Amino acid sequence: MHHPRTFWRSAGSSARRFLPALLVAAAAALPLAATPQARADDAVDRVNREFNVIGRSQRSDTVLLPALAAMERPPAGLLRDERAAILPAGAAGWAEAEAWAMGAPQREVLRVLDEITKETDWRRAMAFGQPYGIEGVPVDLIRNQMYTELGDPPTLAAAQILYMPRLDELAALANVEATRLAAAGSPNDAIDVMGDFAFFARSMADREFYEEVKWGLVNMGRALERIRDIGYVDYKGERKIDSNRLLTQIERLSPEGYLAVARMSLPIGDFAGAAQLVDRIYGGGSGVNADVFAQNMSRLATSDHPLRLFSESAKWQGAAASLGSFSEARGKVEAVRADWTSRWSFPPGDRRLTTVTERSKVNPTTFPVAYYAIPDFAELFRLRLVIRTELVGTQTGLALLGASMVRGDFPPVLSAVRPRWITQIPPDPFNVDPSRLVGGQPPLEYFVPMRDSSPGRQSDPHEMTIIRDGTTFSVRLRDDTFVAYSHGSNNFNDFARRIQNTGELVQGADYLIWPPVNSLYRQHLRDLGQLK
């Protein structure tokens, strides 16, 4: 994206798109380095300044948000439990979902999504550059709640990013369209749609608030898994995928290309919001104003429930007496910011990532701003590693799929996909084998059930237990598919007997790439009679 973390180039102008970690930290610390009153007054401008380098013609939000505002609401239930990604063509509810996706406003959204994600060079790609607050936002978008509400006075920590629900509807639309295309015999077109959505989600991961970045990473992961799902369903069915187009699609989804998460750094909006709040509550250092403290903390706690403001204000009014000093409060915010920013640069598996965070040391009674206004960024760390795994897995899985289609059987070893399908097999991000310290690149694990399972079990189907969003089910895989998996969050090869695709630490489970969990879960629902 297009602020101090990244280098931007547009027609006739250039700006920074990627800076060293030291400059990133300095940029994030700006709200703490200015004079007290200036910090409170200028925090919003300082965060929005990061978007000023983006030329209007290069901003995706200027075309996408109006289209989303005009989009019809999706059918009831389509947004729940990722149903849009699971619902197969012909099942109950499909006709309604398809009719919605074919509506003129929805076709326009899909057209715009394709338009804003065509460029694969991140130096020239379009970016989501809407500023926070109402300044510079068209009246129509404000009227349609397609902006970020900061309140009066503008308060970053209480930001309500009102367009987020419409982005969830965009995700549903992309999935329904992908299902429609695949069912019509165009699986490559379906992959393109989900690739477009993955590109857009990646652009949201470069925004400045935790909520937006988390949405971007979560939806990147879902889009990548859905791409594999499309490939798997096609291979098990009519095998309509064009292998030549698949080659270019694999290249587009490269872990080192536009979708790479290595260019990401921590968003600064939440830190700037906390600094702004400290300055406002303490009057720029003159002392705690109990009324201002109560008003601002109640806004922070009840931004989605304004009718509760009175009771929340009374609660915070009584808590004002327990606050630490101005300098201590500033110091806590800076310590939390510096700690998260430093950790962001550590490689996966670094022991420093397991040490106690500064945020966990904060007393929420004495320093409520540092505790409540700054999210627990550990989730972003886990998601970033998951996305690295999804990118490696999607490229590797599609390469194995393409090779299998051309060969007529599954490759004997993973390295057989080189060099036609991928020039270099990327390493498993969860595999922390010591060989990596000397340049080793341990890949994903790969085998074909009943063909090359463990010795003595070649004739047996491979059994695995899968945990997906609280649901546990089992599958038995035969030699009509291959299995590709990552070592998962415990960094250990558990031989794909138990599957839990998560960045949170779980013991005894691997991260399944192929067959996609999405595909296996859909079949599980069919077996239960829940998808008819």
Side-chain angles (χ1 to χ4, degrees), residues 334-353:
E334 168 58 13
V336 173
R337 183 207 64 76
D339 182 42
W340 285 128
T341 303
S342 175
R343 290 168 185 265
W344 193 255
S345 64
F346 298 158
D350 194 299
R351 292 183 178 180
R352 290 171 292 182
L353 291 171

Side-chain angles (χ1 to χ4, degrees), residues 98-158:
E98 183 181 30
W100 169 68
M102 293 301 292
Q106 289 70 257
R107 305 316 296 174
E108 174 62 11
V109 169
L110 290 168
R111 185 196 67 78
V112 169
L113 178 63
D114 177 63
E115 174 189 325
I116 64 178
T117 56
K118 284 185 181 296
E119 179 57 65
T120 59
D121 186 337
W122 53 266
R123 299 171 185 85
R124 296 190 296 268
M126 297 183 75
F128 195 99
Q130 188 187 74
Y132 301 105
I134 62 174
E135 188 71 28
V137 178
V139 173
D140 285 348
L141 291 183
I142 296 173
R143 184 183 301 115
N144 289 309
Q145 296 194 323
M146 303 298 285
Y147 74 108
T148 301
E149 175 59 54
L150 299 181
D152 186 17
T155 304
L156 290 169

Side-chain angles (χ1 to χ4, degrees), residues 10 53-63 126-127 136 138 141:
S10 60
V53 295
I54 311 173
R56 187 170 180 81
S57 64
Q58 294 298 112
R59 281 176 49 182
S60 61
D61 58 288
T62 61
V63 286
M126 297 183 75
L141 291 183

Side-chain angles (χ1 to χ4, degrees), residues 282-288 326:
Y282 287 87
S286 60
V288 175
F326 173 58

Side-chain angles (χ1 to χ4, degrees), residues 449-488:
M450 303 174 65
R451 186 193 76 177
D452 42 21
S453 299
S454 58
R457 296 183 59 232
Q458 286 87 346
S459 61
D460 298 332
H462 179 74
E463 297 189 20
M464 62 172 62
T465 299
I466 299 174
I467 302 172
R468 181 190 186 275
D469 296 334
T471 298
T472 301
F473 61 99
S474 298
V475 298
R476 300 176 82 239
L477 302 176
R478 305 183 65 83
D479 56 0
D480 58 349
T481 188
F482 61 85
V483 176
Y485 65 95
S486 160
H487 283 192

